[in-house]
Amino acid sequence: AFDKMLPAVRDALKEIPDVARPDVEVYLQQAAGFIAPVFAVIGPEVIITEPLSQPLNSNSYQPLFAVRMRDAVPIQNLVNLAGGGMLKPRDFEGSQIYETPDGMGVDMPVLGIGKDYFFVGSAATVENALRQSTRAEGGLATNPAVTKAVGTLKPGAISASWLDARQYFQRADHML
């Protein structure tokens, strides 16, 4: 899935006006050197969670992106290169978290690299995801209603979404 992205971008470049194409092609060629190894080891699963905590405030919405990976090294190399020294690594329960140090004046998402996934989100959501990813129990994967719903997907399905309507409407009621 992801390994097909660079060829698709190269095809799209054919539509850029001739005057701009050479510059964009140079940038793409440079980026491909460190992006292609990452695309080769990630996916195809991408999981997006969008929790809304209570009481509602400016920090209630904290999305988390999780991408399946088969090898952490290309991702770590990209983080070190793209972070330009701004992202500092720290150990977290046997996993690695990259974040901007306090006082830098830059509000960037936190990156977490675990056993089978890398995560992007706030420090709290990434730490929680790393904790959950190392546990054998818990989470949506063991929720009978979720496994029943996902079990109805046909082979080749490319997306699924889960919503606990009761919790959603309870939280929506608090926003009104």
Side-chain angles (χ1 to χ4, degrees):
F2 282 94
D3 58 339
K4 302 209 181 353
M5 289 184 73
L6 284 175
V9 171
R10 284 188 182 101
D11 286 344
L13 282 179
K14 296 173 186 170
E15 303 302 319
I16 292 178
D18 291 340
V19 68
R21 188 177 315 128
D23 291 337
V24 176
E25 287 174 339
V26 168
Y27 293 129
L28 179 61
Q29 189 61 34
Q30 291 171 347
F34 53 87
I35 293 174
V38 171
F39 284 170
V41 299
I42 64 173
E45 299 101 325
V46 176
I47 301 166
I48 302 169
T49 64
E50 297 179 299
L52 189 61
S53 62
Q54 293 178 342
L56 295 175
N57 58 46
S58 61
N59 294 320
S60 291
Y61 177 70
Q62 295 195 9
L64 174 77
F65 301 87
V67 181
R68 165 95 57 196
M69 64 177 187
R70 294 174 293 287
D71 183 4
V73 172
I75 297 163
Q76 290 167 327
N77 291 341
L78 178 61
V79 169
N80 289 327
L81 179 68
M86 288 180 57
L87 296 176
K88 298 299 178 195
R90 69 176 166 95
D91 290 326
F92 180 79
E93 297 184 11
S95 297
Q96 195 77 36
I97 288 181
Y98 294 85
E99 58 194 342
T100 54
D102 289 337
M104 289 210 50
V106 178
D107 188 19
M108 290 182 62
V110 171
L111 306 168
I113 298 178
K115 180 178 173 249
D116 296 320
Y117 287 88
F118 77 89
F119 303 96
V120 179
S122 70
T125 58
V126 168
E127 288 176 358
N128 188 48
L130 288 168
R131 263 189 225 100
Q132 291 294 322
S133 70
T134 60
R135 294 185 183 155
E137 76 288 335
L140 288 177
T142 60
N143 181 321
V146 174
T147 56
K148 181 179 178 182
V150 171
T152 64
L153 296 174
K154 294 181 178 170
I158 61 168
S159 180
S161 179
W162 172 257
L163 171 69
D164 182 326
R166 181 180 49 80
Q167 288 186 29
Y168 176 80
F169 287 115
Q170 284 175 343
R171 290 183 178 148
D173 186 47
H174 287 283
M175 292 190 299
L176 299 175

